[in-house]
mmCIF file of all heavy atoms in Angstrom:
data_model
loop_
_atom_site.group_PDB
_atom_site.id
_atom_site.type_symbol
_atom_site.label_atom_id
_atom_site.label_comp_id
_atom_site.label_asym_id
_atom_site.label_seq_id
_atom_site.Cartn_x
_atom_site.Cartn_y
_atom_site.Cartn_z
ATOM 1 N N ASN A 1 -11.569 -8.089 -6.427
ATOM 2 C CA ASN A 1 -11.561 -7.409 -5.084
ATOM 3 C C ASN A 1 -10.103 -7.288 -4.565
ATOM 4 O O ASN A 1 -9.859 -7.482 -3.368
ATOM 5 C CB ASN A 1 -12.404 -8.153 -4.055
ATOM 6 C CG ASN A 1 -13.879 -7.820 -4.201
ATOM 7 O OD1 ASN A 1 -14.330 -7.408 -5.252
ATOM 8 N ND2 ASN A 1 -14.626 -8.011 -3.122
ATOM 9 N N THR A 2 -9.181 -6.937 -5.429
ATOM 10 C CA THR A 2 -7.787 -6.922 -5.064
ATOM 11 C C THR A 2 -7.111 -5.634 -5.427
ATOM 12 O O THR A 2 -7.324 -5.104 -6.529
ATOM 13 C CB THR A 2 -7.040 -8.109 -5.711
ATOM 14 O OG1 THR A 2 -7.681 -9.339 -5.287
ATOM 15 C CG2 THR A 2 -5.578 -8.132 -5.277
ATOM 16 N N LEU A 3 -6.262 -5.171 -4.516
ATOM 17 C CA LEU A 3 -5.427 -3.964 -4.720
ATOM 18 C C LEU A 3 -3.996 -4.405 -4.843
ATOM 19 O O LEU A 3 -3.565 -5.369 -4.185
ATOM 20 C CB LEU A 3 -5.590 -3.060 -3.488
ATOM 21 C CG LEU A 3 -4.709 -1.777 -3.445
ATOM 22 C CD1 LEU A 3 -5.243 -0.805 -4.496
ATOM 23 C CD2 LEU A 3 -4.734 -1.204 -2.060
ATOM 24 N N TYR A 4 -3.259 -3.714 -5.672
ATOM 25 C CA TYR A 4 -1.836 -4.073 -5.924
ATOM 26 C C TYR A 4 -0.886 -2.847 -5.732
ATOM 27 O O TYR A 4 -1.343 -1.698 -5.871
ATOM 28 C CB TYR A 4 -1.618 -4.598 -7.338
ATOM 29 C CG TYR A 4 -2.479 -5.799 -7.696
ATOM 30 C CD1 TYR A 4 -3.647 -5.656 -8.388
ATOM 31 C CD2 TYR A 4 -2.059 -7.071 -7.313
ATOM 32 C CE1 TYR A 4 -4.385 -6.760 -8.731
ATOM 33 C CE2 TYR A 4 -2.841 -8.175 -7.641
ATOM 34 C CZ TYR A 4 -4.013 -8.008 -8.357
ATOM 35 O OH TYR A 4 -4.754 -9.089 -8.636
ATOM 36 N N LEU A 5 0.333 -3.169 -5.427
ATOM 37 C CA LEU A 5 1.384 -2.138 -5.447
ATOM 38 C C LEU A 5 2.629 -2.757 -6.041
ATOM 39 O O LEU A 5 3.258 -3.595 -5.410
ATOM 40 C CB LEU A 5 1.656 -1.558 -4.041
ATOM 41 C CG LEU A 5 2.633 -0.417 -3.990
ATOM 42 C CD1 LEU A 5 2.006 0.818 -4.632
ATOM 43 C CD2 LEU A 5 3.060 -0.088 -2.551
ATOM 44 N N GLN A 6 2.940 -2.324 -7.250
ATOM 45 C CA GLN A 6 4.190 -2.748 -7.887
ATOM 46 C C GLN A 6 5.288 -1.776 -7.483
ATOM 47 O O GLN A 6 5.192 -0.588 -7.682
ATOM 48 C CB GLN A 6 4.029 -2.770 -9.421
ATOM 49 C CG GLN A 6 5.289 -3.157 -10.190
ATOM 50 C CD GLN A 6 5.696 -4.604 -9.945
ATOM 51 O OE1 GLN A 6 4.821 -5.491 -9.984
ATOM 52 N NE2 GLN A 6 6.973 -4.822 -9.699
ATOM 53 N N MET A 7 6.340 -2.344 -6.876
ATOM 54 C CA MET A 7 7.444 -1.534 -6.340
ATOM 55 C C MET A 7 8.717 -1.911 -7.073
ATOM 56 O O MET A 7 9.168 -3.030 -6.967
ATOM 57 C CB MET A 7 7.549 -1.731 -4.847
ATOM 58 C CG MET A 7 6.285 -1.460 -4.077
ATOM 59 S SD MET A 7 6.519 -1.546 -2.282
ATOM 60 C CE MET A 7 6.910 -3.317 -2.095
ATOM 61 N N ASN A 8 9.271 -0.934 -7.809
ATOM 62 C CA ASN A 8 10.529 -1.153 -8.518
ATOM 63 C C ASN A 8 11.600 -0.237 -7.999
ATOM 64 O O ASN A 8 11.310 0.730 -7.276
ATOM 65 C CB ASN A 8 10.301 -0.882 -10.029
ATOM 66 C CG ASN A 8 9.293 -1.788 -10.659
ATOM 67 O OD1 ASN A 8 9.152 -2.957 -10.284
ATOM 68 N ND2 ASN A 8 8.570 -1.256 -11.637
ATOM 69 N N SER A 9 12.831 -0.556 -8.340
ATOM 70 C CA SER A 9 13.999 0.265 -7.910
ATOM 71 C C SER A 9 13.931 0.533 -6.415
ATOM 72 O O SER A 9 14.099 1.678 -5.980
ATOM 73 C CB SER A 9 14.019 1.576 -8.705
ATOM 74 O OG SER A 9 14.093 1.322 -10.084
ATOM 75 N N LEU A 10 13.719 -0.485 -5.667
ATOM 76 C CA LEU A 10 13.538 -0.322 -4.208
ATOM 77 C C LEU A 10 14.823 0.172 -3.549
ATOM 78 O O LEU A 10 15.946 -0.143 -3.965
ATOM 79 C CB LEU A 10 13.080 -1.653 -3.595
ATOM 80 C CG LEU A 10 11.616 -1.957 -3.792
ATOM 81 C CD1 LEU A 10 11.321 -3.418 -3.577
ATOM 82 C CD2 LEU A 10 10.760 -1.101 -2.864
ATOM 83 N N LYS A 11 14.622 0.996 -2.522
ATOM 84 C CA LYS A 11 15.696 1.603 -1.772
ATOM 85 C C LYS A 11 15.609 1.195 -0.299
ATOM 86 O O LYS A 11 14.520 0.848 0.187
ATOM 87 C CB LYS A 11 15.615 3.124 -1.859
ATOM 88 C CG LYS A 11 15.613 3.666 -3.263
ATOM 89 C CD LYS A 11 15.405 5.178 -3.272
ATOM 90 C CE LYS A 11 15.385 5.715 -4.675
ATOM 91 N NZ LYS A 11 15.192 7.206 -4.699
ATOM 92 N N PRO A 12 16.739 1.236 0.423
ATOM 93 C CA PRO A 12 16.634 0.886 1.844
ATOM 94 C C PRO A 12 15.600 1.716 2.651
ATOM 95 O O PRO A 12 14.976 1.214 3.565
ATOM 96 C CB PRO A 12 18.064 1.158 2.351
ATOM 97 C CG PRO A 12 18.946 0.927 1.164
ATOM 98 C CD PRO A 12 18.119 1.411 -0.010
ATOM 99 N N GLU A 13 15.435 2.955 2.210
ATOM 100 C CA GLU A 13 14.445 3.815 2.915
ATOM 101 C C GLU A 13 13.037 3.410 2.632
ATOM 102 O O GLU A 13 12.079 3.954 3.222
ATOM 103 C CB GLU A 13 14.654 5.289 2.557
ATOM 104 C CG GLU A 13 14.721 5.548 1.062
ATOM 105 C CD GLU A 13 16.166 5.654 0.580
ATOM 106 O OE1 GLU A 13 17.008 4.802 0.995
ATOM 107 O OE2 GLU A 13 16.437 6.557 -0.224
ATOM 108 N N ASP A 14 12.799 2.453 1.752
ATOM 109 C CA ASP A 14 11.433 1.937 1.505
ATOM 110 C C ASP A 14 11.078 0.842 2.525
ATOM 111 O O ASP A 14 9.951 0.363 2.579
ATOM 112 C CB ASP A 14 11.322 1.316 0.093
ATOM 113 C CG ASP A 14 11.437 2.375 -0.979
ATOM 114 O OD1 ASP A 14 10.891 3.490 -0.805
ATOM 115 O OD2 ASP A 14 12.095 2.067 -2.008
ATOM 116 N N THR A 15 12.037 0.460 3.357
ATOM 117 C CA THR A 15 11.817 -0.590 4.370
ATOM 118 C C THR A 15 10.762 -0.099 5.367
ATOM 119 O O THR A 15 10.829 0.985 5.954
ATOM 120 C CB THR A 15 13.125 -0.888 5.131
ATOM 121 O OG1 THR A 15 14.037 -1.458 4.206
ATOM 122 C CG2 THR A 15 12.850 -1.835 6.293
ATOM 123 N N ALA A 16 9.698 -0.910 5.504
ATOM 124 C CA ALA A 16 8.566 -0.537 6.381
ATOM 125 C C ALA A 16 7.565 -1.686 6.367
ATOM 126 O O ALA A 16 7.676 -2.617 5.579
ATOM 127 C CB ALA A 16 7.909 0.752 5.892
ATOM 128 N N VAL A 17 6.574 -1.555 7.257
ATOM 129 C CA VAL A 17 5.375 -2.386 7.181
ATOM 130 C C VAL A 17 4.390 -1.656 6.268
ATOM 131 O O VAL A 17 4.099 -0.478 6.535
ATOM 132 C CB VAL A 17 4.787 -2.667 8.524
ATOM 133 C CG1 VAL A 17 3.509 -3.521 8.405
ATOM 134 C CG2 VAL A 17 5.788 -3.391 9.416
ATOM 135 N N TYR A 18 3.906 -2.331 5.260
ATOM 136 C CA TYR A 18 2.961 -1.737 4.311
ATOM 137 C C TYR A 18 1.551 -2.220 4.624
ATOM 138 O O TYR A 18 1.290 -3.436 4.795
ATOM 139 C CB TYR A 18 3.356 -2.102 2.868
ATOM 140 C CG TYR A 18 4.557 -1.338 2.377
ATOM 141 C CD1 TYR A 18 5.813 -1.564 2.913
ATOM 142 C CD2 TYR A 18 4.409 -0.356 1.410
ATOM 143 C CE1 TYR A 18 6.916 -0.836 2.451
ATOM 144 C CE2 TYR A 18 5.488 0.387 0.982
ATOM 145 C CZ TYR A 18 6.759 0.156 1.494
ATOM 146 O OH TYR A 18 7.851 0.863 1.081
ATOM 147 N N TYR A 19 0.616 -1.257 4.644
ATOM 148 C CA TYR A 19 -0.776 -1.512 5.033
ATOM 149 C C TYR A 19 -1.718 -1.146 3.922
ATOM 150 O O TYR A 19 -1.587 -0.091 3.296
ATOM 151 C CB TYR A 19 -1.161 -0.718 6.253
ATOM 152 C CG TYR A 19 -0.394 -1.045 7.510
ATOM 153 C CD1 TYR A 19 0.781 -0.375 7.838
ATOM 154 C CD2 TYR A 19 -0.835 -2.020 8.388
ATOM 155 C CE1 TYR A 19 1.470 -0.627 8.977
ATOM 156 C CE2 TYR A 19 -0.135 -2.322 9.542
ATOM 157 C CZ TYR A 19 1.014 -1.617 9.833
ATOM 158 O OH TYR A 19 1.692 -1.916 10.964
ATOM 159 N N CYS A 20 -2.685 -2.007 3.701
ATOM 160 C CA CYS A 20 -3.766 -1.740 2.770
ATOM 161 C C CYS A 20 -4.892 -0.998 3.496
ATOM 162 O O CYS A 20 -5.184 -1.282 4.646
ATOM 163 C CB CYS A 20 -4.263 -3.104 2.267
ATOM 164 S SG CYS A 20 -5.704 -3.063 1.205
ATOM 165 N N ASN A 21 -5.468 -0.032 2.838
ATOM 166 C CA ASN A 21 -6.534 0.798 3.430
ATOM 167 C C ASN A 21 -7.680 0.956 2.457
ATOM 168 O O ASN A 21 -7.478 1.161 1.271
ATOM 169 C CB ASN A 21 -5.975 2.183 3.810
ATOM 170 C CG ASN A 21 -7.056 3.138 4.300
ATOM 171 O OD1 ASN A 21 -7.695 3.805 3.472
ATOM 172 N ND2 ASN A 21 -7.208 3.254 5.590
ATOM 173 N N ALA A 22 -8.909 0.826 2.978
ATOM 174 C CA ALA A 22 -10.099 1.035 2.164
ATOM 175 C C ALA A 22 -10.986 2.097 2.850
ATOM 176 O O ALA A 22 -11.172 2.039 4.043
ATOM 177 C CB ALA A 22 -10.862 -0.287 2.024
ATOM 178 N N ARG A 23 -11.533 2.988 2.031
ATOM 179 C CA ARG A 23 -12.339 4.066 2.620
ATOM 180 C C ARG A 23 -13.549 4.380 1.759
ATOM 181 O O ARG A 23 -13.429 4.683 0.568
ATOM 182 C CB ARG A 23 -11.479 5.318 2.834
ATOM 183 C CG ARG A 23 -12.167 6.416 3.579
ATOM 184 C CD ARG A 23 -11.195 7.501 3.996
ATOM 185 N NE ARG A 23 -10.538 8.103 2.830
ATOM 186 C CZ ARG A 23 -9.280 7.899 2.498
ATOM 187 N NH1 ARG A 23 -8.502 7.089 3.175
ATOM 188 N NH2 ARG A 23 -8.759 8.548 1.446
ATOM 189 N N PHE A 24 -14.732 4.279 2.358
ATOM 190 C CA PHE A 24 -15.974 4.704 1.730
ATOM 191 C C PHE A 24 -17.011 4.770 2.850
ATOM 192 O O PHE A 24 -17.500 3.729 3.305
ATOM 193 C CB PHE A 24 -16.435 3.761 0.640
ATOM 194 C CG PHE A 24 -17.739 4.130 0.048
ATOM 195 C CD1 PHE A 24 -17.853 5.245 -0.786
ATOM 196 C CD2 PHE A 24 -18.907 3.404 0.288
ATOM 197 C CE1 PHE A 24 -19.096 5.614 -1.360
ATOM 198 C CE2 PHE A 24 -20.138 3.757 -0.291
ATOM 199 C CZ PHE A 24 -20.221 4.867 -1.082
ATOM 200 N N GLN A 25 -17.284 5.888 3.347
ATOM 201 C CA GLN A 25 -18.102 6.099 4.522
ATOM 202 C C GLN A 25 -17.422 5.553 5.784
ATOM 203 O O GLN A 25 -17.279 6.244 6.775
ATOM 204 C CB GLN A 25 -19.488 5.444 4.384
ATOM 205 C CG GLN A 25 -20.291 6.059 3.206
ATOM 206 C CD GLN A 25 -21.660 5.453 3.035
ATOM 207 O OE1 GLN A 25 -21.935 4.354 3.560
ATOM 208 N NE2 GLN A 25 -22.497 6.116 2.299
ATOM 209 N N LEU A 26 -16.995 4.295 5.757
ATOM 210 C CA LEU A 26 -16.196 3.737 6.842
ATOM 211 C C LEU A 26 -14.774 3.469 6.332
ATOM 212 O O LEU A 26 -14.515 3.495 5.124
ATOM 213 C CB LEU A 26 -16.828 2.442 7.340
ATOM 214 C CG LEU A 26 -18.190 2.558 8.021
ATOM 215 C CD1 LEU A 26 -18.725 1.210 8.369
ATOM 216 C CD2 LEU A 26 -18.135 3.470 9.210
ATOM 217 N N GLU A 27 -13.858 3.203 7.262
ATOM 218 C CA GLU A 27 -12.453 2.975 6.904
ATOM 219 C C GLU A 27 -12.003 1.636 7.480
ATOM 220 O O GLU A 27 -12.305 1.302 8.618
ATOM 221 C CB GLU A 27 -11.601 4.088 7.433
ATOM 222 C CG GLU A 27 -10.154 4.054 6.947
ATOM 223 C CD GLU A 27 -9.377 5.316 7.364
ATOM 224 O OE1 GLU A 27 -9.675 5.856 8.427
ATOM 225 O OE2 GLU A 27 -8.468 5.718 6.625
#
């Protein structure tokens, strides 16, 4: 029950708060 995001070659413009989202009928 896990989602991943592998982020390579990161740039300063990638700076942010990252949110996980699930959608199926409801969100």
Side-chain angles (χ1 to χ4, degrees):
N1 278 24
T2 301
L3 176 72
Y4 302 99
L5 184 68
Q6 178 66 45
M7 305 186 294
N8 299 328
S9 302
L10 283 161
K11 304 176 181 180
E13 51 263 43
D14 295 318
T15 295
V17 178
Y18 284 70
Y19 297 91
C20 174
N21 173 276
R23 186 167 61 252
F24 177 71
Q25 298 181 344
L26 296 177
E27 187 172 33

